[in-house]
């Protein structure tokens, strides 16, 4: 990297606040009071990200008389739900390619349920007047290397063979650059309907408000410390009070599950993003981004990027950092060396935007599992349900996961709980040092493949055969 270029990129970051742009909002609602006495309820939801908020809200929608309590260890939406890219995808399987390779027999059903789930998110946003800048603009996956063009075409043909390419369109270089102009774009695949963009924190806060309006009792700054069976129900200890609940839904994402055996299925992978200042009319015109789709490039180490409501560009991805031992630490949320790398890639993609500055740079932990899409289960004789493992594509899929948890707690077999994807689990990660070594080898191999025209080495081929992987 030439020193002059490095200086230029570093300068673009010199005023960047190390906090999520979405959470740095004067409209952030005040936290609900912590629990200070004993409580009891029909359903206790642990976790105030999308997963928990949807679970509590849908539980009330299904049965308004159900007595629902939600506890959140810090503030609703502070974690992944307030830090993500805001790509709200219909896919329940971390993309069609992953779903097709793992569940070819039920992919059509999974896609149908995913599309319905996204429609239901859109409807709920309207119904509860959630002001989260929801825009169903779709997403273009762009190719920046010739082999990625071939892969996108093959993907399109494969999905067409399964009758699933309906809303998609292949774009050549001119067509993709007519949508968003970067000299690095060689072509793209536009999914017109399967992705909406939104303001992530405002979605979480809006869901919290909707829960409160429906009568869910929400306690923030209330970590659930221990979960035990108690009579016919469950008991949860918090610092200042005990909650007795008939049933419990665990929506704790990458944080240590209160059901210990679930922990080995996920590892934290830190993902990072930058946000620019708002673009001027001239800057926007220079890149032409008229239809406001979300974009992602197609490398193994990929970037995702999009416009905000006030025409900033969010630019994230690429580095996926797994800390040895899978330890969650606040210090991992901030990674200047990744920011410098991301800024460099940003100006390579959009040289027209030279001089633009970043106002925010942040990171957050993703709950990666070895099959890249959520897994579900029950414990304590069916009185506890859990969902986790969304691996970087949980903005939309957590709503589906909420429905699954409620289905499981109801004990009824539904079209969701009948799915192989719901009935099976990913392979767990091995203990250290094997987990770290495996992840490091995979990351190194993926980076090599990106440089080598997409050619996968023996390690990746073996992992592919075993259906194992590492993604963010
Ligand atoms: C940088 C970044 C970018 C991303 N970009 C995208 C994207 O563009 N599109 C997409 O689909 N996905 C994206 N994701 C992933 C997406 O954000 C997550 O899948 C989703 O937010 C998960 O929601 P959740 O409710 O399961 O988890 P979280 O939002 O992490 O919520 C879990 C909550 O549980 C609470 N909790 C945990 N344990 C306890 C306990 N014992 N007691 C009480 N409370 C507890 C935590 O405090 C936390 O608030 C991204 C993630 C990151 C980090």
């Amino acid at each position: 990297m030439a020193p002059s270029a490095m200086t230029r990129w570093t300068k673009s970051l010199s005023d960047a606040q190390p906090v999520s742009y979405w959470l740095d909002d004067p409209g952030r609602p005040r936290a609900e009071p912590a629990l200070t006495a004993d409580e009891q309820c029909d359903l206790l939801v642990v976790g105030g990200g999308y997963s928990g908020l949807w679970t509590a809200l849908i539980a009330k929608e299904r049965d308004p008389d159900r007595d629902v309590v939600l506890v959140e260890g810090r503030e609703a939406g502070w974690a992944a739900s307030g830090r993500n890219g805001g790509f709200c995808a219909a896919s329940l399987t971390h993309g069609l390619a992953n779903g097709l390779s793992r569940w070819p027999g039920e992919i059509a059903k999974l896609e149908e349920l995913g599309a319905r789930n996204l429609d239901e998110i859109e409807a709920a946003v309207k119904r509860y007047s959630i002001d989260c800048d929801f825009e169903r603009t779709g997403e273009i996956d762009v190719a920046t290397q010739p082999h990625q063009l071939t892969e996108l075409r093959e993907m399109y043909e494969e999905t067409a063979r399964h009758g699933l390419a309906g809303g998609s369109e292949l774009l050549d270089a001119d067509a993709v650059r007519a949508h968003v102009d970067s000299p690095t774009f060689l072509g793209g695949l536009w999914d017109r309907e399967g992705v909406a963009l939104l303001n992530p924190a405002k979605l979480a806060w809006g869901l919290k408000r909707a829960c409160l309006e429906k009568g869910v009792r929400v306690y923030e700054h209330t970590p659930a410390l221990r979960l035990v069976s108690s009579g016919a129900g469950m008991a949860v200890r918090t610092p200042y009070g005990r909650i007795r609940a008939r049933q419990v839904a665990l929506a704790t994402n990458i944080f240590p599950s209160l059901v210990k055996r679930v922990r080995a299925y996920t590892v934290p992978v830190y993902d990072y993003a930058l946000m620019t200042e708002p673009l001027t009319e001239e800057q926007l015109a220079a890149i032409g981004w008229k239809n406001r789709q979300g974009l992602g490039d197609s490398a193994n180490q990929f970037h995702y990027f999009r416009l905000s409501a006030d025409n900033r560009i969010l630019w994230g991805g690429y580095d996926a950092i797994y800390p040895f031992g899978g330890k969650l630490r606040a210090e991992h949320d901030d990674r200047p060396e990744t920011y410098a790398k991301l800024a460099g890639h940003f100006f390579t993609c959009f040289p027209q935007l030279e001089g633009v500055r970043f106002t925010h740079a942040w990171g957050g932990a993703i709950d990666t599992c070895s099959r890249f899409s959520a897994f579900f289960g029950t414990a304590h004789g069916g009185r506890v349900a859990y969902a986790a493992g969304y691996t970087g594509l949980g903005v939309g899929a957590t709503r589906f996961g909420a429905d699954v948890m409620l289905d499981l707690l109801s004990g009824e077999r539904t079209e969701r709980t009948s799915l192989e994807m719901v009935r099976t689990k990913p392979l767990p990660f091995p203990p250290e040092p094997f987990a770290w070594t495996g992840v490091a080898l995979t990351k190194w191999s993926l980076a090599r493949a990106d440089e080598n025209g997409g050619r996968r080495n023996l390690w990746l081929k073996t992992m592919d055969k075993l259906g194992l992987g590492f993604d963010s």
Side-chain angles (χ1 to χ4, degrees), residues 183-226:
T184 65
F185 295 170
L186 304 178
L189 181 57
W190 182 13
D191 175 357
R192 289 167 175 276
E193 290 152 18
V195 178
L197 297 178
L198 50 76
N199 177 316
K202 284 187 172 178
L203 174 63
W205 298 333
L207 289 173
K208 178 175 105 171
R209 179 177 51 74
C211 283
L212 291 167
E213 284 169 8
K214 285 265 178 199
V216 176
R217 299 196 294 292
V218 177
Y219 298 102
E220 291 177 85
H221 295 290
T222 304
L225 304 173
R226 194 148 178 263

Side-chain angles (χ1 to χ4, degrees), residues 136-148:
R136 197 144 172 185
T137 49
E139 178 176 346
I140 306 178
D141 286 334
V142 294
T144 56
Q145 301 271 347
H147 74 270
Q148 294 169 5

Side-chain angles (χ1 to χ4, degrees), residues 90-95 98-100 102-111 113-114 117 369 371-377 386-391 393 396-398 400-401 404 408 413 415-426:
S91 175
L92 304 174
T93 57
H94 204 267
N98 188 47
L100 202 49
R102 293 180 192 279
W103 300 287
E106 64 184 27
I107 188 66
K109 183 56 135 183
L110 287 166
E111 288 287 294
L113 289 170
N117 184 56
C369 75
R371 68 181 201 186
F372 316 146
S373 48
F375 59 88
F376 314 89
Y386 56 84
Y390 293 96
T391 319
L393 208 68
T398 42
F400 172 82
V404 172
L408 291 171
R413 196 171 168 91
E415 65 176 345
R416 286 177 285 259
T417 60
S418 306
L419 293 165
E420 188 191 340
M421 185 246 204
V422 169
R423 287 185 287 106
T424 55
K425 297 273 193 309

Side-chain angles (χ1 to χ4, degrees), residues 18 125 210 303 356:
V125 163
H303 303 89
V356 163

